[in-house]
Amino acid sequence: MASETIPRPEQVRAARSLLGWSQQDLAAKAGVAISTIADFERGQRSPIPNNALAIRQALEAAGVLFTETGVSHGFHWTFMTERGTSGLIVTFTPEAAGPVIDFASIFGKVEPPKVSIDTIQCATPELRNKVHDYVDRHAAKTPHLFRLRKMLDDMPDGEFFLLLPTPPSSTAEQFRYEQVLHQLNHPQEQPLDEHLQVFGRLLEKYDLCMPRTDKHFNIGNAKKADRTCRFCGNSRKTGAQFNKEAHAIPAALGNKYLKLADECDDCNQYFGDKIEPTLVELLNIQRVFLGIEARGSLPTVKFPGGRLFRDGNNDKMMVVVSEKISEDASGVLTAQLGTGKPIVPQSFYRALSKIALSVIPEQELPALAKTIRWVRYGESSEAPLPKIAAAVVMLPPDPSAQITLYIRKEPHSKMPHVLCEFRLGCYMYVYALPFSERDDGNLLGFFEEEEFKQTFRHYASVPSWSQQDYSGNQEIQVLQSIRLQPSNAPIDGQPS
Ligand SMILES: [Zn+2]
């Protein structure tokens, strides 16, 4: 259901009861009169669209999900312990379990309508008892809570763990949380931890920009009359229209909430027609593998020689259908899918850069004028481009792709002005925005520079990077195939 749909009166009532909110609480959160809510819930009067949207957004911001049949409330919490990170998705419906508030109050303070969860938690006998109690009362309807109980039971008394309302969206954030956790559980150790020094150095030189993708967030000017398109520089006065929604990260990559107000309809159309299809095409297999929903449905990807999809009936299993599946002597299966649509490699780089330009703070844009013309009009497409580094990382999965930017503080240096980290599930791409006026050179080979390695030392802990060249600006065909191998089979001739 699109987030712009007007909720039904019974949905609003049910959502309030899940949250334990009074009509007054909701009115305050949504910035509307109490009578608006009361009349609406009684079915007496429909609110004007702006008020209906405000009501819906206030409820969604508190975690309520509107479904076809009613409402539910979910947590997508991440627990970090000394033994690792795991996600816990808990969903409540009004008829299925006690109010969300009861559950939330185990981990924080609840003063309706405000719920504050403490990030730092301690596995005390008291906390364990509360969780046992809750699970006993509600587990029949919410069996996923058994995992939470088991995790707590497995922890030694008094050990600290972290409860994050949203998963870490970058390696940098993950490392920072790990430091905090380590310090809490090992207070006697000097904070000489390698990571601490690493990050100190990075944050001395770079600012971090990590837009959230789990809540409605519009970058730029709320009022259409004040908007200037980031890409073509037009405003309403010069004929630009701002009627379409511009996603900062394409919706096909699971992004529902992060939008750019300052993108005109023409530019939106151009990106959607010309460069984003390449990004989506090259990430198709990953999308199916991760089961990323786009516009409410699981992806199916068709190739001339086969297709990939998620079997929604069978625990969302990934299914590979291919005309050519072969097995070699060591038991490695190869499914050839044929060639996908022809793609222009440089469009992949431009689409990734477009995401960064959509979320970067406005004051950085003047230095990136040439970058913008490259992304929007394909200017400078003959100039050499730095490589893009790709890796598979162990971070908890996210329903949407994530973007993190590192923006250099010093005006000039050999290091990139803007370094971007784009992540789709466990697949991470690290790249620099090319053509910045604040870069001294063309950035070719910057990954190999000693200063870069010393500053972005956390990337050294990622086990295997591959540097890929996306500078080609002619159409090419990519042969897609999937290989399945038993864990004892050699990988590319090397012992595993
Ligand atoms: Zn524009």
Side-chain angles (χ1 to χ4, degrees):
M1 184 185 277
S3 60
E4 286 65 34
T5 316
I6 291 177
R8 297 191 298 273
E10 68 274 15
Q11 285 180 309
V12 172
R13 270 200 308 275
R16 278 200 304 104
S17 87
L18 272 173
L19 296 168
W21 286 7
S22 64
Q23 288 185 336
Q24 187 168 12
D25 295 332
L26 176 56
K29 284 271 176 179
V32 302
I34 300 186
S35 58
T36 305
I37 302 221
D39 290 351
F40 177 45
E41 287 190 7
R42 276 199 302 270
Q44 283 188 342
R45 191 161 52 91
S46 284
I48 59 165
N50 269 352
N51 283 347
L53 189 63
I55 291 169
R56 184 182 174 113
Q57 286 183 350
L59 293 167
E60 282 181 336
V64 168
L65 302 166
F66 287 84
T67 62
E68 292 299 335
T69 49
V71 286
S72 68
H73 188 290
F75 293 111
H76 182 166
W77 281 350
T78 299
F79 288 88
M80 278 181 81
T81 71
E82 293 265 10
R83 275 157 297 281
T85 301
S86 67
L88 178 75
I89 297 174
V90 191
T91 315
F92 301 90
T93 57
E95 52 289 341
V100 176
I101 291 298
D102 282 356
F103 183 68
S105 65
I106 298 176
F107 297 100
K109 228 188 267 148
V110 175
E111 292 156 343
K114 194 163 168 267
V115 178
S116 38
I117 301 297
D118 301 320
T119 299
I120 297 171
Q121 301 278 339
C122 187
T124 57
E126 192 198 352
L127 181 73
R128 253 184 230 123
N129 285 339
K130 283 187 192 169
V131 170
H132 274 249
D133 250 21
Y134 191 90
V135 173
D136 288 344
R137 275 184 288 137
H138 300 294
K141 285 160 180 165
T142 46
H144 37 267
L145 292 176
F146 283 116
R147 266 185 55 219
L148 171 66
R149 191 172 74 182
K150 168 107 176 56
M151 187 202 82
L152 275 174
D153 288 350
D154 288 349
M155 286 173 70
D157 260 346
E159 186 175 306
F160 288 98
F161 64 99
L162 302 182
L163 196 170
L164 311 173
T166 53
S169 60
S170 66
T171 42
E173 210 182 344
Q174 168 113 352
F175 273 120
R176 271 193 300 180
Y177 285 130
E178 281 172 3
Q179 287 161 27
V180 170
L181 192 58
H182 189 82
Q183 289 265 299
L184 285 167
N185 284 318
H186 307 273
Q188 68 284 9
E189 282 179 27
Q190 291 291 320
L192 275 176
D193 187 40
E194 180 99 336
H195 290 153
L196 210 59
Q197 291 185 328
V198 170
F199 270 97
R201 183 196 281 251
L202 175 55
L203 297 175
E204 235 169 62
K205 295 192 173 176
Y206 277 83
D207 285 322
L208 252 108
C209 164
M210 295 189 288
R212 294 179 63 162
T213 55
D214 60 329
K215 289 204 168 132
H216 285 283
F217 189 53
N218 265 309
I219 298 166
N221 282 300
K223 276 169 70 185
K224 287 183 185 176
D226 297 338
R227 292 180 189 171
T228 300
C229 177
R230 283 190 172 198
F231 302 99
C232 66
N234 284 316
S235 62
R236 270 191 167 179
K237 275 186 199 136
T238 54
Q241 299 285 320
F242 294 91
N243 297 323
K244 295 184 197 155
E245 283 205 319
H247 288 82
I249 300 174
L253 304 178
N255 172 39
K256 281 195 270 190
Y257 301 126
L258 186 62
K259 288 166 196 160
L260 173 63
D262 299 337
E263 178 178 323
C264 78
D265 293 352
D266 282 354
C267 289
N268 185 329
Q269 177 103 29
Y270 174 81
F271 296 137
D273 289 349
K274 299 291 181 195
I275 63 170
E276 282 166 0
T278 299
L279 181 67
V280 174
E281 181 77 18
L282 285 175
L283 294 172
N284 261 338
I285 292 177
Q286 285 92 326
R287 279 172 59 218
V288 183
F289 183 66
L290 296 164
I292 288 182
E293 289 190 18
R295 300 196 158 101
S297 61
L298 289 164
T300 294
V301 181
K302 292 195 180 103
F303 295 97
R307 64 201 156 93
L308 293 180
F309 61 95
R310 282 263 170 171
D311 183 351
N313 297 322
N314 191 359
D315 202 20
K316 297 186 176 176
M317 189 181 279
M318 175 165 159
V319 182
V320 180
V321 179
S322 165
E323 289 164 10
K324 263 194 216 164
I325 298 184
S326 56
E327 182 176 357
D328 73 7
S330 52
V332 176
L333 289 177
T334 304
Q336 287 188 18
L337 298 166
T339 47
K341 293 178 197 124
I343 56 116
V344 178
Q346 199 171 115
S347 299
F348 182 78
Y349 203 152
R350 285 166 68 197
L352 286 178
S353 299
K354 190 264 164 184
I355 295 172
L357 291 171
S358 297
V359 302
I360 201 166
E362 226 172 331
Q363 70 265 26
E364 304 295 331
L365 291 172
L368 296 164
K370 191 172 170 190
T371 319
I372 290 171
R373 289 198 306 276
W374 169 66
V375 166
R376 174 64 178 88
Y377 304 107
E379 286 180 20
S380 321
S381 66
E382 302 297 331
L385 291 170
K387 299 241 170 71
I388 294 180
V392 173
V393 293
M394 300 310 289
L395 281 171
D398 253 294
S400 166
Q402 305 288 324
I403 180 80
T404 300
L405 306 182
Y406 300 90
I407 303 163
R408 178 159 37 75
K409 296 178 187 176
E410 305 154 21
H412 284 275
S413 150
K414 277 178 96 175
M415 306 242 282
H417 170 200
V418 184
L419 189 82
C420 321
E421 188 180 305
F422 173 81
R423 186 165 71 81
L424 186 68
C426 52
Y427 303 96
M428 188 159 88
Y429 297 87
V430 176
Y431 53 101
L433 279 187
F435 310 126
S436 169
E437 268 175 26
R438 287 184 49 200
D439 283 330
D440 279 348
N442 57 13
L443 298 178
L444 296 184
F446 75 88
F447 284 115
E448 316 309 331
E449 293 283 338
E450 205 45 41
E451 195 183 354
F452 179 82
K453 287 183 185 169
Q454 291 302 322
T455 306
F456 289 89
R457 278 170 70 182
H458 60 292
Y459 289 139
S461 70
V462 174
S464 63
W465 287 101
S466 79
Q467 288 194 29
Q468 302 169 352
D469 183 352
Y470 286 95
S471 57
N473 64 356
Q474 302 297 321
E475 277 194 349
I476 56 162
Q477 300 272 352
V478 181
L479 184 68
Q480 301 276 14
S481 59
I482 288 186
R483 193 164 65 164
L484 291 177
Q485 58 190 28
S487 52
N488 57 353
I491 298 171
D492 291 331
Q494 287 171 1
S496 55

